[in-house]
Amino acid sequence: MKKVISTTKAPAAIGPYSQAIQVGNLVYTSGQIPIDPATGVFVEGGIKEQTRQSLTNIKAILTEADLSMSNVVKTTVFLADMNDFADMNAVYAEFFTEPYPARSAVAVKTLPKGALVEIEVVAEVE
């Protein structure tokens, strides 16, 4: 059975999707772009600030499910420019500790609303 996970501490869905869905012992988040839920607009700054906000949004969704970043088993990072990888990776490392989740990072042509980064995760419910 699917359980919808939703919080006002992360941006509301801007389309026909949920912030996250739990199925069994896994939680799947939708991709999070760097929208500040308090203002409804992108955070100011570049890739570092946008990565931090995207991961902060994910953290808020996981908290709503009584999980933490340590429950994350897989991440997917979408970058508008692969030249931003090192800066994204530096901020990403602030949110995860060993054992690190598995990760894919890909460059895409464009992201919603012109974001520089979008991140989604899969987390395990213990």
Side-chain angles (χ1 to χ4, degrees):
M1 185 160 60
K2 293 191 295 187
K3 176 184 174 187
V4 175
I5 298 165
S6 181
T7 178
T8 57
K9 296 180 181 173
I14 55 175
Y17 62 89
S18 300
Q19 287 176 330
I21 294 287
Q22 179 177 343
V23 178
N25 70 332
L26 295 176
V27 172
Y28 300 84
T29 70
S30 291
Q32 294 298 304
I33 58 176
I35 294 175
D36 180 338
T39 64
V41 298
F42 280 176
V43 293
E44 291 187 24
I47 189 64
K48 287 183 177 182
E49 292 80 10
Q50 287 199 15
T51 299
R52 187 169 287 107
Q53 185 63 54
S54 294
L55 288 167
T56 298
N57 293 342
I58 288 168
K59 187 174 180 180
I61 294 167
L62 294 176
T63 297
E64 184 67 23
D66 294 323
L67 300 174
S68 71
M69 298 301 267
S70 66
N71 293 95
V72 175
V73 295
K74 171 71 168 78
T75 67
T76 305
V77 179
F78 303 94
L79 293 165
D81 184 345
M82 194 54 81
N83 290 319
D84 288 335
F85 181 86
D87 286 338
M88 174 281 298
N89 201 48
V91 174
Y92 180 98
E94 297 171 10
F95 285 80
F96 296 101
T97 57
E98 291 189 39
Y100 299 113
R103 179 177 73 185
S104 300
V106 296
V108 295
K109 185 174 180 181
T110 57
L111 288 167
K113 298 184 174 264
L116 300 177
V117 64
E118 180 174 2
I119 304 171
E120 64 184 26
V121 305
V122 178
E124 180 184 27
V125 178
E126 299 177 322

